[in-house]
Amino acid sequence: ERLAVALCRMRGAALKIGQMLSIQDENLIPPQIQQVLERVRHGADAMPRSQLEEQLSANLDDGWMDRLEDFEWEPMAAASIGQVHKAKLRECGTPVCLKVQYPGVADSISSDVDNLMRLVRTTSLLPKGLYVENAVEVAKKELALECDYNYEAKAQLRYRDLVAGEDSLFVPDVHLPLCGRRVLCTHFVEGIPLDEVSSLSQDHRDHLGRLILEVTLKELFVWRFMQTDPNWSNFLYDPQKRRLNLIDFGAAKEYPKRFVDNYLANVHACVHRDREGVIEQGKRLGFLTGDETRVMLDAHCEAGFAVGIPFAQEGDFDFGQAKGRLTTKVSEKAPTLVKHRLTPPPEEAYSLHRKLSGAFLACIKLKAKVPCRQLFLDLYDSYDWGAQEDAQEEVEVES
């Protein structure tokens, strides 16, 4: 109960730590903590109107209300670090959403996370070998960035440009005159959240599953710019247009070219059950040191092979029949990985694996049938290996 109360009070910090820990393997987090985190997700309290007005006035220019009409003071959504209000632009009538951050969240990240971890440790519920300290430091940096709505505005505009030529993907525009460090104004977009699409036809669910997996692969291996928060409410499906609308880019992250090159080679090795390739890329990426026991190397490879299953199967992969095949195989190796791991995962892995696992879980929930192997091999065959990195190195040498 003490833990639950503390988590509810800390909001953003609490949820971020929960995400960071759970992506290593959800089976390693005790049910008691999972239940508490779920309670916090649904327990965010809305700001009173006076506090909301203070936040808006402190972050926007004078006269901000004159630019809006039909502002709804009751939030349409409340989450871990802010709440969302609907309105219309007075000049053109365009529906917009204003995301307003809770006061004090950004300023208390470090202390809240540290206090939270001290409390968690007193419960003795977390297993050893999770390298929790590393996850905590990454969580602090990620949450600090997510609290900067100026960064999110730029990230959303960048992502909007990336999908501009995609018929089946859409990112709403940002209205910069009504944006600030703690307030973000974007155009409103309709859609059904992923956790509410199970009633759609198999054709729609297959199409949506393909879109989710395809955009996830493009984010990493083509754009190297990924929206890493797999929250299902960030994916809004429009069945009439057969289009996936994407929102919430506070967790968008760019990945280095060398890391992406090695990660693609690693996935390819996993797909083809290439043990030596998986071990070599594991060392290059920083998952392995080279001094691991055979037991650890076996577990590392088998876990990788399990994740590669969807991309190894010819034709459509049926995620509806795959839940046990994917999650059980990985979870069986988790205790060995935790016990024998010699180094924490590379920093990039926390956000990346959170998104990749979220994409797989979304396809499982949809019971989608997706041509995973075709999508992966088409991308792999057209991949530009190291070109940008080589060019950068040439510039550095010349200078």
Side-chain angles (χ1 to χ4, degrees):
E1 184 61 27
R2 285 177 58 211
L3 180 59
V5 172
L7 290 175
C8 289
R9 185 175 65 250
M10 293 175 194
R11 283 175 167 167
L15 291 182
K16 177 56 64 175
I17 289 296
Q19 289 177 334
M20 296 301 296
L21 294 176
S22 64
I23 59 95
Q24 297 194 48
D25 193 284
E26 61 182 5
N27 295 283
L28 296 177
I29 305 302
Q32 302 97 309
I33 291 184
Q34 291 184 29
Q35 291 168 9
V36 168
L37 290 173
E38 189 63 24
R39 172 177 161 184
V40 177
R41 283 191 186 91
H42 297 289
D45 296 327
M47 284 182 277
R49 177 165 173 169
S50 59
Q51 192 177 58
L52 174 62
E53 289 190 58
E54 287 179 9
Q55 280 292 86
L56 288 164
S57 298
N59 285 275
L60 300 178
D61 294 336
D62 293 340
W64 61 269
M65 182 53 87
D66 295 335
R67 300 182 180 183
L68 297 170
E69 60 183 11
D70 298 336
F71 186 93
E72 298 180 5
W73 292 101
E74 192 70 23
M76 61 181 293
S80 59
I81 64 174
Q83 60 192 47
V84 181
H85 295 261
K86 196 173 179 182
K88 291 181 181 178
L89 296 179
R90 188 178 299 276
E91 61 184 3
C92 58
T94 299
V96 293
C97 291
L98 280 86
K99 182 162 66 171
V100 186
Q101 192 172 126
Y102 301 127
V105 169
D107 297 330
S108 62
I109 291 171
S110 184
S111 60
D112 276 357
V113 170
D114 289 340
N115 290 336
L116 173 60
M117 292 314 300
R118 278 194 288 271
L119 183 59
V120 168
R121 289 189 183 97
T122 65
T123 67
S124 300
L125 291 175
L126 290 178
K128 297 179 180 179
L130 282 180
Y131 288 95
V132 173
E133 292 77 10
N134 298 78
V136 166
E137 290 307 310
V138 174
K140 287 180 181 179
K141 288 192 285 187
E142 287 194 359
L143 187 55
L145 197 59
E146 288 184 40
C147 287
D148 184 352
Y149 287 175
N150 285 329
Y151 170 81
E152 182 172 351
K154 294 176 183 177
Q156 182 159 336
L157 290 172
R158 177 178 175 180
Y159 207 108
R160 178 175 164 84
D161 287 341
L162 288 171
V163 304
E166 305 279 347
D167 293 333
S168 299
L169 298 172
F170 179 77
V171 173
D173 203 358
V174 178
H175 189 68
L176 291 175
L178 286 171
C179 289
R181 197 173 184 199
R182 306 292 181 230
V183 177
L184 177 69
C185 181
T186 68
H187 288 191
F188 176 77
V189 65
E190 299 276 3
I192 306 173
L194 285 190
D195 55 349
E196 298 178 15
V197 299
S198 58
S199 61
L200 294 179
S201 68
Q202 185 68 49
D203 176 63
H204 274 298
R205 288 184 282 117
D206 290 347
H207 177 64
L208 181 53
R210 175 172 182 147
L211 288 178
I212 291 169
L213 197 58
E214 194 168 25
V215 73
T216 300
L217 293 173
K218 280 186 176 180
E219 284 179 316
L220 181 59
F221 299 124
V222 178
W223 305 328
R224 291 191 292 113
F225 188 67
M226 175 177 276
Q227 190 280 80
T228 65
D229 183 356
N231 188 318
W232 287 338
S233 62
N234 295 338
F235 302 83
L236 304 174
Y237 182 59
D238 184 336
Q240 279 70 44
K241 297 180 180 179
R242 294 176 66 84
R243 188 177 74 182
L244 181 60
N245 299 319
L246 304 170
I247 61 173
D248 199 337
F249 294 87
K253 179 181 176 65
E254 186 167 12
Y255 292 91
K257 185 68 166 65
R258 185 186 297 274
F259 175 85
V260 175
D261 285 354
N262 290 332
Y263 201 89
L264 180 57
N266 182 61
V267 175
H268 189 267
C270 290
V271 169
H272 293 88
R273 300 186 66 86
D274 174 6
R275 177 185 170 88
E276 295 306 315
V278 171
I279 293 174
E280 176 59 29
Q281 295 305 324
K283 290 188 288 188
R284 291 186 181 184
L285 288 164
F287 289 102
L288 302 172
T289 66
D291 297 321
E292 284 77 11
T293 63
R294 184 174 183 84
V295 171
M296 172 62 186
L297 294 178
D298 288 345
H300 176 80
C301 290
E302 288 301 321
F305 296 160
V307 175
I309 288 174
F311 303 111
Q313 179 175 304
E314 296 285 353
D316 288 347
F317 183 79
D318 189 347
F319 281 94
Q321 302 295 322
K323 183 175 181 179
R325 292 173 60 192
L326 294 176
T327 58
T328 302
K329 285 180 177 291
V330 175
S331 62
E332 286 175 349
K333 304 300 177 185
T336 302
L337 293 171
V338 170
K339 181 178 180 179
H340 295 278
R341 182 184 289 160
L342 298 181
T343 185
E347 183 174 322
E348 294 87 353
Y350 292 93
S351 57
L352 173 58
H353 287 179
R354 183 170 67 239
K355 178 60 178 286
L356 294 179
S357 64
F360 273 15
L361 289 172
C363 289
I364 289 173
K365 185 174 183 63
L366 292 169
K367 298 181 179 178
K369 299 175 182 177
V370 182
C372 302
R373 181 175 176 83
Q374 175 193 329
L375 294 177
F376 175 73
L377 291 181
D378 286 349
L379 186 149
Y380 183 85
D381 291 340
S382 62
Y383 188 73
D384 188 5
W385 294 92
Q388 295 182 36
E389 184 174 275
D390 292 342
Q392 180 63 33
E393 290 175 352
E394 288 177 8
V395 171
E396 291 173 355
V397 170
E398 290 176 0
S399 60

Short mmCIF file of all heavy atoms in Angstrom, two decimals, residues 176-216:
data_model
loop_
_atom_site.label_atom_id
_atom_site.label_comp_id
_atom_site.label_asym_id
_atom_site.label_seq_id
_atom_site.Cartn_x
_atom_site.Cartn_y
_atom_site.Cartn_z
N LEU A 176 2.12 25.82 -33.73
CA LEU A 176 3.20 26.39 -32.92
C LEU A 176 2.84 27.64 -32.12
O LEU A 176 3.37 27.83 -31.02
CB LEU A 176 4.41 26.66 -33.82
CG LEU A 176 5.11 25.40 -34.37
CD1 LEU A 176 6.21 25.79 -35.35
CD2 LEU A 176 5.68 24.57 -33.23
N PRO A 177 1.96 28.53 -32.62
CA PRO A 177 1.65 29.73 -31.83
C PRO A 177 1.03 29.41 -30.46
O PRO A 177 1.01 30.27 -29.58
CB PRO A 177 0.66 30.50 -32.72
CG PRO A 177 1.00 30.07 -34.11
CD PRO A 177 1.38 28.63 -33.98
N LEU A 178 0.50 28.21 -30.28
CA LEU A 178 -0.09 27.83 -29.00
C LEU A 178 0.70 26.70 -28.34
O LEU A 178 0.14 25.85 -27.66
CB LEU A 178 -1.56 27.42 -29.19
CG LEU A 178 -2.53 28.57 -29.46
CD1 LEU A 178 -3.90 28.05 -29.85
CD2 LEU A 178 -2.63 29.49 -28.23
N CYS A 179 2.01 26.71 -28.56
CA CYS A 179 2.89 25.72 -27.94
C CYS A 179 3.88 26.41 -27.00
O CYS A 179 4.29 27.55 -27.24
CB CYS A 179 3.67 24.95 -29.00
SG CYS A 179 2.68 23.80 -29.98
N GLY A 180 4.26 25.73 -25.97
CA GLY A 180 5.28 26.19 -25.03
C GLY A 180 5.99 24.99 -24.44
O GLY A 180 5.73 23.85 -24.82
N ARG A 181 6.86 25.24 -23.49
CA ARG A 181 7.64 24.13 -22.94
C ARG A 181 6.77 23.12 -22.20
O ARG A 181 7.09 21.95 -22.11
CB ARG A 181 8.72 24.66 -21.99
CG ARG A 181 9.80 23.62 -21.73
CD ARG A 181 10.95 24.17 -20.95
NE ARG A 181 12.00 23.16 -20.80
CZ ARG A 181 12.95 23.20 -19.89
NH1 ARG A 181 12.99 24.22 -19.05
NH2 ARG A 181 13.84 22.25 -19.81
N ARG A 182 5.64 23.58 -21.65
CA ARG A 182 4.76 22.68 -20.91
C ARG A 182 3.36 22.59 -21.52
O ARG A 182 2.46 22.03 -20.91
CB ARG A 182 4.65 23.14 -19.44
CG ARG A 182 5.98 23.32 -18.73
CD ARG A 182 6.71 22.02 -18.52
NE ARG A 182 7.97 22.23 -17.82
CZ ARG A 182 9.13 21.75 -18.22
NH1 ARG A 182 9.21 21.05 -19.34
NH2 ARG A 182 10.24 21.97 -17.54
N VAL A 183 3.17 23.16 -22.71
CA VAL A 183 1.89 23.09 -23.42
C VAL A 183 2.15 22.75 -24.88
O VAL A 183 3.04 23.35 -25.51
CB VAL A 183 1.11 24.43 -23.33
CG1 VAL A 183 -0.18 24.34 -24.13
CG2 VAL A 183 0.81 24.78 -21.88
N LEU A 184 1.39 21.81 -25.42
CA LEU A 184 1.53 21.42 -26.82
C LEU A 184 0.16 21.44 -27.49
O LEU A 184 -0.80 20.86 -26.98
CB LEU A 184 2.12 20.00 -26.91
CG LEU A 184 2.27 19.42 -28.31
CD1 LEU A 184 3.37 20.16 -29.07
CD2 LEU A 184 2.58 17.93 -28.24
N CYS A 185 0.08 22.13 -28.62
CA CYS A 185 -1.17 22.23 -29.37
C CYS A 185 -1.01 21.56 -30.73
O CYS A 185 -0.14 21.94 -31.52
CB CYS A 185 -1.57 23.70 -29.55
SG CYS A 185 -3.13 23.93 -30.44
N THR A 186 -1.84 20.56 -30.99
CA THR A 186 -1.80 19.86 -32.27
C THR A 186 -3.21 19.76 -32.84
O THR A 186 -4.20 19.88 -32.11
CB THR A 186 -1.23 18.43 -32.11
OG1 THR A 186 -2.16 17.63 -31.37
CG2 THR A 186 0.10 18.45 -31.40
N HIS A 187 -3.29 19.55 -34.14
CA HIS A 187 -4.59 19.34 -34.76
C HIS A 187 -5.19 18.04 -34.24
O HIS A 187 -4.48 17.05 -34.01
CB HIS A 187 -4.45 19.29 -36.27
CG HIS A 187 -4.15 20.62 -36.88
ND1 HIS A 187 -4.19 20.86 -38.24
CD2 HIS A 187 -3.80 21.81 -36.31
CE1 HIS A 187 -3.89 22.13 -38.48
NE2 HIS A 187 -3.64 22.72 -37.33
N PHE A 188 -6.50 18.03 -34.07
CA PHE A 188 -7.21 16.85 -33.57
C PHE A 188 -7.37 15.83 -34.70
O PHE A 188 -7.59 16.20 -35.86
CB PHE A 188 -8.59 17.25 -33.05
CG PHE A 188 -9.43 16.10 -32.61
CD1 PHE A 188 -9.19 15.47 -31.40
CD2 PHE A 188 -10.47 15.64 -33.41
CE1 PHE A 188 -9.98 14.40 -30.99
CE2 PHE A 188 -11.26 14.57 -33.01
CZ PHE A 188 -11.02 13.95 -31.79
N VAL A 189 -7.22 14.57 -34.37
CA VAL A 189 -7.38 13.52 -35.37
C VAL A 189 -8.25 12.41 -34.79
O VAL A 189 -8.13 12.05 -33.61
CB VAL A 189 -6.00 12.97 -35.82
CG1 VAL A 189 -5.28 12.27 -34.68
CG2 VAL A 189 -6.15 12.02 -37.01
N GLU A 190 -9.16 11.90 -35.61
CA GLU A 190 -10.06 10.82 -35.19
C GLU A 190 -9.36 9.48 -35.30
O GLU A 190 -8.35 9.33 -36.00
CB GLU A 190 -11.31 10.81 -36.07
CG GLU A 190 -12.15 12.07 -36.01
CD GLU A 190 -13.11 12.07 -34.84
OE1 GLU A 190 -13.07 11.10 -34.04
OE2 GLU A 190 -13.88 13.04 -34.72
N GLY A 191 -9.91 8.48 -34.63
CA GLY A 191 -9.39 7.14 -34.76
C GLY A 191 -9.76 6.26 -33.58
O GLY A 191 -10.13 6.74 -32.51
N ILE A 192 -9.67 4.95 -33.80
CA ILE A 192 -9.96 3.96 -32.76
C ILE A 192 -8.65 3.51 -32.15
O ILE A 192 -7.76 3.04 -32.86
CB ILE A 192 -10.70 2.75 -33.35
CG1 ILE A 192 -11.94 3.18 -34.13
CG2 ILE A 192 -11.07 1.76 -32.26
CD1 ILE A 192 -12.61 2.05 -34.88
N PRO A 193 -8.47 3.63 -30.82
CA PRO A 193 -7.24 3.13 -30.18
C PRO A 193 -7.07 1.64 -30.39
O PRO A 193 -8.06 0.90 -30.55
CB PRO A 193 -7.45 3.47 -28.69
CG PRO A 193 -8.50 4.52 -28.67
CD PRO A 193 -9.39 4.25 -29.85
N LEU A 194 -5.83 1.19 -30.37
CA LEU A 194 -5.55 -0.22 -30.66
C LEU A 194 -6.27 -1.18 -29.72
O LEU A 194 -6.62 -2.29 -30.13
CB LEU A 194 -4.04 -0.48 -30.58
CG LEU A 194 -3.18 0.02 -31.75
CD1 LEU A 194 -1.78 -0.52 -31.63
CD2 LEU A 194 -3.78 -0.37 -33.09
N ASP A 195 -6.47 -0.77 -28.48
CA ASP A 195 -7.09 -1.69 -27.54
C ASP A 195 -8.61 -1.77 -27.71
O ASP A 195 -9.28 -2.46 -26.95
CB ASP A 195 -6.75 -1.32 -26.09
CG ASP A 195 -7.11 0.11 -25.76
OD1 ASP A 195 -7.43 0.88 -26.69
OD2 ASP A 195 -7.05 0.47 -24.57
N GLU A 196 -9.15 -1.08 -28.75
CA GLU A 196 -10.59 -1.12 -28.99
C GLU A 196 -10.94 -1.61 -30.39
O GLU A 196 -12.08 -1.46 -30.83
CB GLU A 196 -11.19 0.27 -28.77
CG GLU A 196 -11.02 0.81 -27.35
CD GLU A 196 -11.58 2.21 -27.19
OE1 GLU A 196 -12.34 2.65 -28.09
OE2 GLU A 196 -11.26 2.87 -26.18
N VAL A 197 -9.99 -2.20 -31.10
CA VAL A 197 -10.23 -2.58 -32.49
C VAL A 197 -10.49 -4.08 -32.66
O VAL A 197 -10.61 -4.56 -33.80
CB VAL A 197 -9.04 -2.17 -33.39
CG1 VAL A 197 -8.85 -0.68 -33.38
CG2 VAL A 197 -7.77 -2.88 -32.97
N SER A 198 -10.59 -4.81 -31.56
CA SER A 198 -10.75 -6.26 -31.68
C SER A 198 -12.05 -6.66 -32.36
O SER A 198 -12.17 -7.79 -32.88
CB SER A 198 -10.68 -6.92 -30.29
OG SER A 198 -11.67 -6.38 -29.43
N SER A 199 -13.03 -5.77 -32.39
CA SER A 199 -14.31 -6.09 -33.01
C SER A 199 -14.29 -5.88 -34.53
O SER A 199 -15.25 -6.26 -35.21
CB SER A 199 -15.43 -5.23 -32.40
OG SER A 199 -15.18 -3.85 -32.62
N LEU A 200 -13.23 -5.30 -35.06
CA LEU A 200 -13.14 -5.09 -36.51
C LEU A 200 -12.93 -6.41 -37.23
O LEU A 200 -12.53 -7.41 -36.63
CB LEU A 200 -12.00 -4.12 -36.83
CG LEU A 200 -12.14 -2.68 -36.34
CD1 LEU A 200 -10.91 -1.87 -36.73
CD2 LEU A 200 -13.40 -2.03 -36.91
N SER A 201 -13.16 -6.40 -38.52
CA SER A 201 -13.02 -7.62 -39.32
C SER A 201 -11.57 -8.09 -39.36
O SER A 201 -10.65 -7.32 -39.09
CB SER A 201 -13.51 -7.37 -40.75
OG SER A 201 -12.63 -6.47 -41.41
N GLN A 202 -11.37 -9.36 -39.72
CA GLN A 202 -10.02 -9.90 -39.83
C GLN A 202 -9.21 -9.12 -40.87
O GLN A 202 -8.01 -8.89 -40.69
CB GLN A 202 -10.07 -11.38 -40.23
CG GLN A 202 -8.71 -12.08 -40.26
CD GLN A 202 -8.11 -12.22 -38.87
OE1 GLN A 202 -8.78 -12.67 -37.95
NE2 GLN A 202 -6.85 -11.83 -38.72
N ASP A 203 -9.87 -8.69 -41.95
CA ASP A 203 -9.17 -7.91 -42.99
C ASP A 203 -8.61 -6.62 -42.41
O ASP A 203 -7.46 -6.26 -42.68
CB ASP A 203 -10.14 -7.61 -44.13
CG ASP A 203 -9.51 -6.72 -45.19
OD1 ASP A 203 -8.52 -7.15 -45.83
OD2 ASP A 203 -9.98 -5.58 -45.37
N HIS A 204 -9.41 -5.90 -41.63
CA HIS A 204 -8.94 -4.66 -41.01
C HIS A 204 -7.80 -4.94 -40.03
O HIS A 204 -6.80 -4.21 -39.99
CB HIS A 204 -10.09 -3.96 -40.28
CG HIS A 204 -10.92 -3.08 -41.16
ND1 HIS A 204 -10.42 -1.98 -41.82
CD2 HIS A 204 -12.25 -3.14 -41.49
CE1 HIS A 204 -11.38 -1.39 -42.52
NE2 HIS A 204 -12.50 -2.08 -42.33
N ARG A 205 -7.96 -5.98 -39.23
CA ARG A 205 -6.93 -6.29 -38.23
C ARG A 205 -5.62 -6.74 -38.88
O ARG A 205 -4.55 -6.39 -38.40
CB ARG A 205 -7.46 -7.35 -37.25
CG ARG A 205 -8.52 -6.77 -36.30
CD ARG A 205 -8.99 -7.76 -35.26
NE ARG A 205 -9.94 -8.72 -35.82
CZ ARG A 205 -9.74 -10.02 -35.90
NH1 ARG A 205 -8.60 -10.55 -35.47
NH2 ARG A 205 -10.66 -10.82 -36.41
N ASP A 206 -5.72 -7.48 -39.97
CA ASP A 206 -4.50 -7.86 -40.70
C ASP A 206 -3.82 -6.62 -41.28
O ASP A 206 -2.58 -6.49 -41.22
CB ASP A 206 -4.85 -8.83 -41.84
CG ASP A 206 -5.28 -10.20 -41.34
OD1 ASP A 206 -5.08 -10.49 -40.14
OD2 ASP A 206 -5.81 -10.98 -42.15
N HIS A 207 -4.62 -5.74 -41.86
CA HIS A 207 -4.08 -4.51 -42.45
C HIS A 207 -3.41 -3.65 -41.38
O HIS A 207 -2.30 -3.13 -41.58
CB HIS A 207 -5.21 -3.74 -43.12
CG HIS A 207 -4.81 -2.42 -43.71
ND1 HIS A 207 -3.91 -2.31 -44.75
CD2 HIS A 207 -5.17 -1.15 -43.37
CE1 HIS A 207 -3.74 -1.03 -45.05
NE2 HIS A 207 -4.48 -0.31 -44.23
N LEU A 208 -4.07 -3.52 -40.23
CA LEU A 208 -3.53 -2.71 -39.15
C LEU A 208 -2.27 -3.33 -38.58
O LEU A 208 -1.29 -2.62 -38.30
CB LEU A 208 -4.59 -2.54 -38.06
CG LEU A 208 -4.22 -1.70 -36.85
CD1 LEU A 208 -3.70 -0.32 -37.27
CD2 LEU A 208 -5.42 -1.56 -35.92
N GLY A 209 -2.26 -4.64 -38.40
CA GLY A 209 -1.06 -5.32 -37.92
C GLY A 209 0.12 -5.11 -38.85
O GLY A 209 1.25 -4.86 -38.41
N ARG A 210 -0.15 -5.18 -40.15
CA ARG A 210 0.92 -4.94 -41.12
C ARG A 210 1.43 -3.50 -41.02
O ARG A 210 2.65 -3.27 -41.07
CB ARG A 210 0.42 -5.23 -42.53
CG ARG A 210 1.46 -4.89 -43.61
CD ARG A 210 1.07 -5.35 -44.98
NE ARG A 210 2.14 -5.02 -45.94
CZ ARG A 210 2.43 -5.74 -46.99
NH1 ARG A 210 1.76 -6.86 -47.24
NH2 ARG A 210 3.41 -5.38 -47.81
N LEU A 211 0.52 -2.55 -40.90
CA LEU A 211 0.93 -1.15 -40.79
C LEU A 211 1.82 -0.93 -39.56
O LEU A 211 2.85 -0.24 -39.64
CB LEU A 211 -0.28 -0.24 -40.70
CG LEU A 211 -1.11 -0.04 -41.97
CD1 LEU A 211 -2.31 0.86 -41.69
CD2 LEU A 211 -0.26 0.57 -43.08
N ILE A 212 1.43 -1.51 -38.43
CA ILE A 212 2.19 -1.34 -37.19
C ILE A 212 3.59 -1.90 -37.33
O ILE A 212 4.58 -1.25 -36.97
CB ILE A 212 1.45 -2.01 -36.02
CG1 ILE A 212 0.16 -1.24 -35.71
CG2 ILE A 212 2.35 -2.07 -34.78
CD1 ILE A 212 -0.74 -1.97 -34.75
N LEU A 213 3.69 -3.12 -37.85
CA LEU A 213 5.01 -3.74 -37.97
C LEU A 213 5.84 -3.04 -39.04
O LEU A 213 7.06 -2.83 -38.87
CB LEU A 213 4.85 -5.23 -38.31
CG LEU A 213 6.09 -6.08 -38.08
CD1 LEU A 213 6.56 -6.00 -36.65
CD2 LEU A 213 5.83 -7.52 -38.47
N GLU A 214 5.21 -2.65 -40.13
CA GLU A 214 5.94 -2.00 -41.22
C GLU A 214 6.50 -0.65 -40.78
O GLU A 214 7.66 -0.33 -41.07
CB GLU A 214 5.00 -1.82 -42.42
CG GLU A 214 5.72 -1.45 -43.71
CD GLU A 214 4.81 -1.56 -44.91
OE1 GLU A 214 3.57 -1.45 -44.74
OE2 GLU A 214 5.30 -1.77 -46.02
N VAL A 215 5.70 0.14 -40.07
CA VAL A 215 6.19 1.45 -39.63
C VAL A 215 7.27 1.28 -38.57
O VAL A 215 8.23 2.07 -38.52
CB VAL A 215 5.04 2.34 -39.13
CG1 VAL A 215 4.52 1.90 -37.77
CG2 VAL A 215 5.48 3.80 -39.04
N THR A 216 7.17 0.26 -37.74
CA THR A 216 8.20 0.01 -36.72
C THR A 216 9.53 -0.32 -37.37
O THR A 216 10.59 0.18 -36.95
CB THR A 216 7.77 -1.13 -35.79
OG1 THR A 216 6.53 -0.78 -35.14
CG2 THR A 216 8.82 -1.39 -34.72
#
